[in-house]
Amino acid sequence: MNRVKVGIVGCGNISGIYLTNLTGMFKGVVDLVAVCDIIPERADAAKEKYNILKAYYTDEDIMADPEIQVIVNLTTPDQHAPVNLMALNAGKHAYCEKPLATSRVEGEKQVALAKAKGLMLGGAPDTYLGGGIQTCRKLIDDGWIGEPVAANALMRGHGHETWHPDPAFYYKVGGGPMFDMGPYYLTALINLIGPVKSVAGSTRITFPTRTITSEPKYGTIVDVEVPTHVVGIMNFCSGAIGTITTSFDVYDSLPVWIEIFGSRGTLRVPDPNGFGGPIHMLRAGSREWETVPVAFGYQQNSRGLGVADLCAAINEGRNLRGNFDQTFHVLDLMCGFHDASNQGKTIELQSKFERMPGLVLGAEF
């Protein structure tokens, strides 16, 4: 398989695991040739540590590199749309961290441009391609819990200001628990159950300010601009009903999980922020939960798996699994929950999404 030449824009907090995996785990299909950051020291440090050929300090310079086929966009959420649009206009495929954009309008512009230019556009999260959720998908597809009737997803905590080095953007437009963590849960749900046709929602801001207690910005007070407790109801096209709660407002130490309730049993899906297990299933007629072995690979931290799939898709002449239909449908869902809360009504979704095939047992990139 040909190695596809890739450049990374953004060498911040999340970049380390991408740099590690794209130059290691996925080097058979990914050829990481350039990094870019507006803080030159970050780009230079990444170039040196991971033995990368080129470092750039402006988006314009990396986009002008004719060798690069794919731009991996690891900037902050407010920059996802501008950087993706630059990449597409430069004739390059684009893959970005979640979310695809901070508004439907920004997402629609990207999708329209990608379609017009015949380029691939997609993005994170790729945790649903990990062994845990891929095993859950096969269990559901093979009928182990019957027809999915309902689903429940929970992400609860008290925010990032106690540990993240620069957490302010989590409380600005494009942040909040739904736009930050919701993509993990929603991407898993639509891959397990299928697309959603309508949503309802309720939101609130519990604490109008947050005080950072992590370094280096200890003591900084952040004004909260987005809802920090978001509850959504999903009416799936299949007829299943789902609920999701994402919160930065509560104190909760219980495990984070997704539960799929089927006509013949219940499946407890592992944390969609990770790639592995555990998986638990309770089948009709039994009172005992059973632990299901994880059957698929990529059970460790495999961020960059979606980039590897995009590069493989280029070689194989197919669409990537985390394509713009999927990432835009997730964006549509998140915007829909907020719109439904603001308007006090159910929102019909306009986006379309069809599940791509799951990974093949035993296959690796």
Side-chain angles (χ1 to χ4, degrees):
M1 185 175 288
N2 295 325
R3 298 177 72 205
V4 175
K5 298 193 180 300
V6 171
I8 285 179
V9 176
C11 298
N13 199 51
I14 193 63
S15 68
I17 189 62
Y18 276 91
L19 289 160
T20 297
N21 289 345
L22 295 183
T23 59
M25 187 184 302
F26 303 119
K27 66 181 179 180
V29 67
V30 176
D31 184 8
L32 183 57
V33 298
V35 290
C36 175
D37 199 283
I38 58 173
I39 300 174
E41 294 80 9
R42 285 182 177 178
D44 290 339
K47 176 179 180 290
E48 180 177 353
K49 181 175 181 179
Y50 295 95
N51 195 29
I52 297 167
L53 186 62
K54 310 168 199 177
Y56 293 106
Y57 313 124
T58 71
D59 295 344
E60 290 78 10
D61 285 342
I62 194 170
M63 300 301 174
D65 187 331
E67 185 180 33
I68 295 172
Q69 300 166 264
V70 176
I71 291 291
V72 177
N73 180 359
L74 305 182
T75 60
T76 52
D78 61 310
Q79 292 301 304
H80 288 177
V83 171
N84 287 346
L85 289 169
M86 286 183 69
L88 295 168
N89 276 313
K92 304 181 190 304
H93 305 286
Y95 182 98
C96 79
E97 253 301 325
K98 46 77 187 170
L100 179 65
T102 59
S103 71
R104 287 192 189 89
V105 171
E106 288 183 335
E108 288 166 348
K109 287 180 181 177
Q110 296 176 65
V111 171
L113 184 58
K115 287 180 177 179
K117 288 186 167 286
L119 293 166
M120 284 189 278
L121 165 70
D126 53 10
T127 48
Y128 76 99
L129 293 173
I133 293 175
Q134 287 295 296
T135 301
C136 290
R137 173 165 173 175
K138 183 166 177 56
L139 288 167
I140 293 171
D141 289 352
D142 289 351
W144 282 83
I145 62 167
E147 177 187 356
V149 174
N152 183 36
L154 298 171
M155 191 295 297
R156 300 162 295 189
H158 204 69
H160 296 357
E161 63 270 22
T162 61
W163 62 270
H164 196 281
D166 191 16
F169 75 90
Y170 288 106
Y171 301 101
K172 306 301 180 184
V173 175
M178 181 56 72
F179 273 78
D180 176 40
M181 296 299 293
Y184 294 106
Y185 294 80
L186 294 171
T187 302
L189 284 169
I190 64 175
N191 272 275
L192 294 173
I193 301 177
V196 176
K197 64 180 180 179
S198 65
V199 299
S202 293
T203 68
R204 65 173 288 169
I205 297 174
T206 302
F207 306 100
T209 63
R210 299 281 180 141
T211 301
I212 299 175
T213 58
S214 59
E215 296 294 347
K217 297 189 176 182
Y218 182 92
T220 301
I221 296 175
V222 178
D223 291 326
V224 177
E225 300 176 0
V226 293
T228 46
H229 189 92
V230 182
V231 178
I233 298 174
M234 294 162 283
N235 298 301
F236 289 86
C237 295
S238 67
I241 299 170
T243 59
I244 180 170
T245 299
T246 62
S247 183
F248 286 164
D249 291 350
V250 302
Y251 299 93
D252 196 333
S253 60
L254 291 174
V256 178
W257 56 49
I258 294 171
E259 291 175 310
I260 309 294
F261 306 98
S263 58
R264 293 171 49 203
T266 297
L267 187 65
R268 189 167 290 165
V269 180
D271 182 356
N273 193 30
F275 289 81
I279 301 167
H280 298 101
M281 182 167 56
L282 179 69
R283 288 190 275 184
S286 174
R287 297 191 177 197
E288 299 292 331
W289 286 90
E290 56 187 290
T291 300
V292 181
V294 177
F296 287 76
Y298 300 113
Q299 298 175 37
Q300 70 276 54
N301 191 339
S302 303
R303 291 185 198 272
L305 180 53
V307 178
D309 181 65
L310 187 157
C311 293
I314 292 172
N315 284 326
E316 297 166 11
R318 60 169 174 85
N319 200 0
L320 74 156
R321 289 178 169 86
N323 56 59
F324 57 66
D325 286 334
Q326 173 172 298
T327 51
F328 185 79
H329 193 59
V330 169
L331 176 63
D332 199 12
L333 282 164
M334 296 190 297
C335 292
F337 298 139
H338 291 80
D339 291 345
S341 179
N342 292 337
Q343 299 173 27
K345 66 178 186 180
T346 298
I347 300 293
E348 298 290 330
L349 300 186
Q350 301 301 312
S351 59
K352 305 294 182 183
F353 160 76
E354 291 185 11
R355 296 193 307 164
M356 291 287 289
L359 294 184
V360 178
L361 269 172
E364 293 185 353
F365 294 109

